[in-house]
């Protein structure tokens, strides 16, 4: 039940997940290191979509891996970092649909330079 009822933040999962991952996940983003391609079958797809990693996502994952190794001496994080060019293809982005809609709306507002109008 990883990321169950998650509402914000970022999560990096380097190990196996159990069933029903992302049940009730309404916010935040999870990055899953899916070495054997079985994650999709374990993910609760009611509120999330699985996406390919963009460049910004890959930079985030790399920073998270660096911190993971720095603070825990994780051999898994170190191995992924040493082989990032090939290993990055094994990551999946878990994105809540409603959260994505909100982020896209904010991005559109920024592009259009929309601001709130006050009556006073």
């Amino acid at each position: 039940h990883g990321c169950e009822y998650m509402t914000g933040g970022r999560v990096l999962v380097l190990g196996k997940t159990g069933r029903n991952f992302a049940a009730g996940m309404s916010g935040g983003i999870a990055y899953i290191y899916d070495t054997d391609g079985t994650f999709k079958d374990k993910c609760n797809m009611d509120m999330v979509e699985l996406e390919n990693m963009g460049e910004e996502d890959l930079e985030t994952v790399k920073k998270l891996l660096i911190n993971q190794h720095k603070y825990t001496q994780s051999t898994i994080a170190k191995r992924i970092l040493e082989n990032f060019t090939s290993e990055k293809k094994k990551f999946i982005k878990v994105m809540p649909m409603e959260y994505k809609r909100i982020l896209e709306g904010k991005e559109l507002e920024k592009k259009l330079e929309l601001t709130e109008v006050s009556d006073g």
Side-chain angles (χ1 to χ4, degrees), residues 36-48:
D36 60 6
T38 62
F39 175 72
K40 184 176 182 178
D41 296 332
K42 297 174 184 174
C43 189
N44 184 320
M45 300 296 291
D46 289 346
M47 297 176 68
V48 300

Side-chain angles (χ1 to χ4, degrees), residues 5 28 30 32 40 71-72 77 80-81 88 93 95 97 105 115:
Y5 299 112
I32 311 301
K40 184 176 182 178
Y71 294 112
T72 70
I80 295 169
L81 285 166
K88 68 184 180 182
K93 179 179 179 179
M95 174 64 87
M97 290 178 262
T115 58

Side-chain angles (χ1 to χ4, degrees), residues 54-102:
E55 285 303 315
E56 188 175 322
D57 298 310
L58 292 170
E59 285 301 315
T60 298
V61 165
K62 198 168 196 178
K63 288 176 187 174
L64 291 170
L65 286 165
I66 290 167
N67 283 335
Q68 176 74 11
H69 182 257
K70 178 180 177 181
Y71 294 112
T72 70
Q73 278 63 63
S74 166
T75 56
I76 297 170
K78 182 180 180 185
R79 182 178 47 77
I80 295 169
L81 285 166
E82 288 172 346
N83 301 289
F84 195 70
T85 301
S86 61
E87 295 299 304
K88 68 184 180 182
K89 299 169 189 159
K90 297 177 184 175
F91 282 93
I92 297 174
K93 179 179 179 179
V94 180
M95 174 64 87
M97 290 178 262
E98 185 63 18
Y99 187 63
K100 181 178 181 177
R101 187 187 66 74
I102 291 167

Side-chain angles (χ1 to χ4, degrees), residues 17-36:
T17 64
R19 63 180 176 81
N20 211 26
F21 189 93
M25 184 179 175
S26 60
I29 299 172
Y31 301 106
I32 311 301
Y33 183 55
D34 186 25
T35 58
D36 60 6

